[in-house]
């Protein structure tokens, strides 16, 4: 069922409140699947729209038919979402990767409801990492130019890949199972870096050289 132009005007409004009104109307009229027919699905499962995929649109996604929900494997979140709306993304059975870009606030603790989640990226935001310690299913975690609190919260995660590129954080031990680490433009100190068995390390020449020397002596 195609979505009426008047409803699409609300959903594509520059005003977040009007987008939210449009989302509520689309759900009540049973036009959620019609809206998501306007989205593009990349081969790797990324869903996006040329005119933007915003918080109001993502709140509709758990109401879409299973055929739509099963296609979504990657999402980029560009606006704050309520904890309830984030947790409801657990209804996407194949959602493996989430990226939060310049979002004012993220309650990371609710992400543990998404059992299928394997990769998380946070870009250009301030973040308290308490709560991430519950996401034991994660395989990779990336912080791009973020300001972070309590990095120690992730120390017990069974991560294979971690990026702290351009981020600011107090020194803390890293997960011991890491095989890939990105420290480009990261000026902080990493305690016990030499204890990691890395296959890939990106960072300053001094950091890489120090690690290589430590690994050679191990």
């Amino acid at each position: 069922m195609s979505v009426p132009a008047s409803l699409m005007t609300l959903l594509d409004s520059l005003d977040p409140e009007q987008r939210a009104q449009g989302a509520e109307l689309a759900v009540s009229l049973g036009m959620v699947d019609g809206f998501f027919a306007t989205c593009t699905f990349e081969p790797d499962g990324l869903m996006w729209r040329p005119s933007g995929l915003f918080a109001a649109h993502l709140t509709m996604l758990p109401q879409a038919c299973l055929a739509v929900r099963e296609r979504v494997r990657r999402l980029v979140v560009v606006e704050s979402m309520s904890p309830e709306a984030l947790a409801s993304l657990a209804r996407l059975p194949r959602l493996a990767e989430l990226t939060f870009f310049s979002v004012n606030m993220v309650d990371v603790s609710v992400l543990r409801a998404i059992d299928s989640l394997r990769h998380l990226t946070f870009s250009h935001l301030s973040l308290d990492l308490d709560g991430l310690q519950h996401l034991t299913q994660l395989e990779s975690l990336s912080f791009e130019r973020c300001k972070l609190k309590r990095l120690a919260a992730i120390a017990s995660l069974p991560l294979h890949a971690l990026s702290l590129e351009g981020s600011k954080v107090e020194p803390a031990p890293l997960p011991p199972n890491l095989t890939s680490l990105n420290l480009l433009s990261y000026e902080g100190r990493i305690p016990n870096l030499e204890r990691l068995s890395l296959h890939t390390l990106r960072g300053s020449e001094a950091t890489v050289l120090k690690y290589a020397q430590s690994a050679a002596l191990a």
Side-chain angles (χ1 to χ4, degrees), residues 1-214:
M1 181 183 297
S2 61
V3 180
S6 56
L7 179 53
M8 288 302 299
T9 297
L10 282 176
L11 289 167
D12 282 334
S13 171
L14 297 177
D15 184 348
E17 292 186 4
Q18 289 193 12
R19 289 199 296 268
Q21 292 172 6
E24 291 179 4
L25 189 57
V27 171
S28 65
L29 294 176
M31 293 184 173
V32 170
D33 292 342
F35 170 80
F36 288 113
T38 69
C39 292
T40 297
F41 288 86
E42 299 293 347
D44 65 353
L46 174 66
M47 184 180 74
W48 62 282
R49 298 177 70 234
S51 55
L53 192 64
F54 298 102
H57 307 144
L58 295 180
T59 61
M60 296 191 295
L61 194 48
Q63 309 303 319
C65 68
L66 181 59
V68 171
R69 289 185 282 120
E70 283 186 328
R71 296 183 67 186
V72 182
R73 300 199 299 276
R74 289 180 57 207
L75 285 174
V76 178
V77 180
V78 296
E79 289 183 331
S80 296
M81 296 176 64
S82 70
E84 295 77 16
L86 274 178
S88 71
L89 295 180
R91 294 197 63 201
L92 309 179
R94 301 180 66 194
L95 180 62
E97 183 172 349
L98 273 175
T99 296
F100 293 89
F101 183 83
S102 295
V103 177
N104 290 335
M105 184 183 304
V106 182
D107 185 346
V108 297
S109 64
V110 302
L111 297 177
R112 61 179 164 177
I114 310 175
D115 293 336
S116 59
L117 196 60
R118 296 294 180 269
H119 311 282
L120 261 178
T121 297
F122 300 96
S123 182
H124 293 81
L125 53 87
S126 295
L127 193 67
D128 188 328
L129 301 186
D130 278 353
L132 278 181
Q133 66 267 33
H134 301 297
L135 277 66
T136 55
Q137 77 277 21
L138 285 182
E139 297 173 4
S140 72
L141 190 54
S142 179
F143 302 103
E144 301 172 353
R145 305 198 177 282
C146 294
K147 186 176 181 181
L148 307 173
K149 294 181 181 179
R150 288 180 274 277
L151 185 64
I154 71 169
S156 61
L157 291 180
L159 294 175
H160 297 301
L162 175 66
S163 175
L164 295 170
E165 183 169 347
S167 295
K168 297 180 180 179
V169 63
E170 292 297 321
L174 299 183
N177 295 329
L178 287 179
T179 58
S180 177
L181 179 61
N182 182 358
L183 297 176
L184 285 174
S185 301
Y186 174 76
E187 301 299 334
R189 184 175 61 86
I190 302 294
N192 302 322
L193 180 62
E194 69 280 357
R195 295 185 181 180
L196 300 177
S197 299
L198 299 174
H199 296 161
T200 304
L201 174 61
R202 303 179 67 194
S204 67
E205 183 177 351
T207 298
V208 174
L209 180 59
K210 181 180 178 181
Y211 175 79
Q213 291 173 339
S214 298

